[in-house]
Amino acid sequence: MTLSALPNRLATAPPLIGTLVTMENPEAAEALAISGMHWLFVDAEHSPTLDTRSIQRITQAVAGRAYVIARIPVADEGWIARILDSGADGVIVPHVRSADDARRWVRAAKYPPLGTRGVGIARAHGYGMDLAGYLSRANDATALILQIEDAEAVRHIDDIVAVPGYDAVFIGPYDLSGSMGRLGKVDDPAVRAAVAQVRAACGAAKVPFGIFSGTADGAADELAHGASFVAIGSDIGLMAGTARATLDSLHRKRHPDDQRE
Ligand code: 3PY
Ligand code: MG
């Protein structure tokens, strides 16, 4: 299957719906893609079992059924090179706080003349058999997504969104809430106001934005506010949640008079 280039796809309707991949299991990621998820947010920032090897295996298993976008764990250009070289469609850089940060990641993720991404020969380049083709299309075919999830980033949002060369913004409401002294309170009015400020800056600069939500209701609300892509929950959360809902459903059928939750 061939998906259209991610940067352009992010900039055009309809929005992309995805979930976090936290398990290193390629079959689980493949199944999520078959389920209809448009994109997979492979989270090497918080998942101890995810490394560049598992990101490549996941990208191979998904086989173009969904966009694979991996989040790097630390501010290290080497991660970006290896993730894009593995053939992932994009990278998410957490905790971008300033325009200087944004410029740094454009340099890392884009080939000259936009940036200084180094040329390797890897899976993305057809192991060398598509080197020239990949080099000519990579800047337009792979997405650099800057994550805004700090009060400091919100203060600098107009400068950040004005930086040329990146493809989208992704809002992290949980870290944002923590940076505002309201850890985990993503529905707090001050956190919602900060999210609205980021949305408005993206709208004014015509930058596609995405956001994480723990629930389908939250994601629906963000889509109604113009999000181009949302991530809802996670692979393991969906699995555990469905397991619990199935057990609860069976329990209610077998014990209809039992009022316990
Ligand atoms: C956050 O909410 O902080 C996130 O990083 C979600 O992806
Ligand atoms: Mg975060």
Side-chain angles (χ1 to χ4, degrees):
M1 197 181 304
T2 309
L3 296 168
S4 61
L6 179 57
N8 188 49
R9 181 65 188 78
L10 286 169
T12 50
L16 299 173
I17 317 300
T19 191
L20 262 79
V21 168
T22 68
M23 300 189 288
E24 66 173 332
N25 185 316
E27 289 79 14
E30 182 183 22
L32 285 172
I34 293 171
S35 82
M37 292 286 178
H38 303 125
W39 73 289
L40 301 180
F41 178 159
V42 183
D43 188 14
E45 184 189 13
H46 290 295
S47 305
T49 58
L50 286 173
D51 55 15
T52 49
R53 176 192 298 260
S54 43
I55 291 169
Q56 175 155 309
R57 297 281 177 264
I58 286 167
T59 307
Q60 289 170 318
V62 168
R65 293 185 187 89
Y67 295 101
V68 174
I69 309 177
R71 175 160 67 180
I72 63 172
V74 286
D76 178 347
E77 282 80 352
W79 270 90
I80 294 198
R82 295 176 80 191
I83 288 171
L84 293 180
D85 285 353
S86 79
D89 298 286
V91 284
I92 297 178
V93 180
H95 294 291
V96 172
R97 296 186 175 92
S98 66
D100 276 349
D101 283 355
R103 281 188 281 270
R104 171 181 176 187
W105 300 117
V106 172
R107 282 195 298 277
K110 300 291 178 178
Y111 285 127
L114 266 181
T116 57
R117 178 180 168 191
V119 178
I121 296 184
R123 182 170 178 272
H125 320 75
Y127 305 103
M129 288 174 278
D130 184 29
L131 179 62
Y134 182 74
L135 294 182
S136 65
R137 72 176 177 272
N139 280 357
D140 293 329
T142 56
L144 168 62
I145 299 171
L146 306 178
Q147 202 173 357
I148 300 299
E149 49 182 351
D150 297 276
E152 184 185 346
V154 178
R155 284 197 295 278
H156 298 143
I157 193 64
D158 292 331
D159 294 335
I160 294 172
V161 294
V163 169
Y166 72 97
D167 300 290
V169 155
F170 190 83
I171 304 168
Y174 280 90
D175 280 318
L176 186 56
S177 70
S179 75
M180 298 175 68
R182 294 163 170 84
L183 183 62
K185 298 193 169 60
V186 293
D187 292 325
D188 182 279
V191 178
R192 298 318 302 164
V195 168
Q197 189 181 336
V198 177
R199 285 192 206 116
C202 289
K206 301 204 178 342
V207 169
F209 73 89
I211 189 164
F212 173 82
S213 176
T215 64
D217 283 353
D221 187 52
E222 296 298 341
L223 293 169
H225 281 94
S228 295
F229 60 125
V230 290
I232 312 171
S234 72
D235 49 6
I236 206 156
L238 291 169
M239 186 183 80
T242 306
R244 179 162 289 172
T246 303
L247 289 172
D248 288 349
S249 164
L250 178 61
H251 182 86
R252 281 194 302 275
K253 284 186 200 317
R254 294 179 67 217
H255 308 284
D257 298 329
D258 188 345
Q259 298 301 310
R260 280 181 307 141
E261 279 299 305

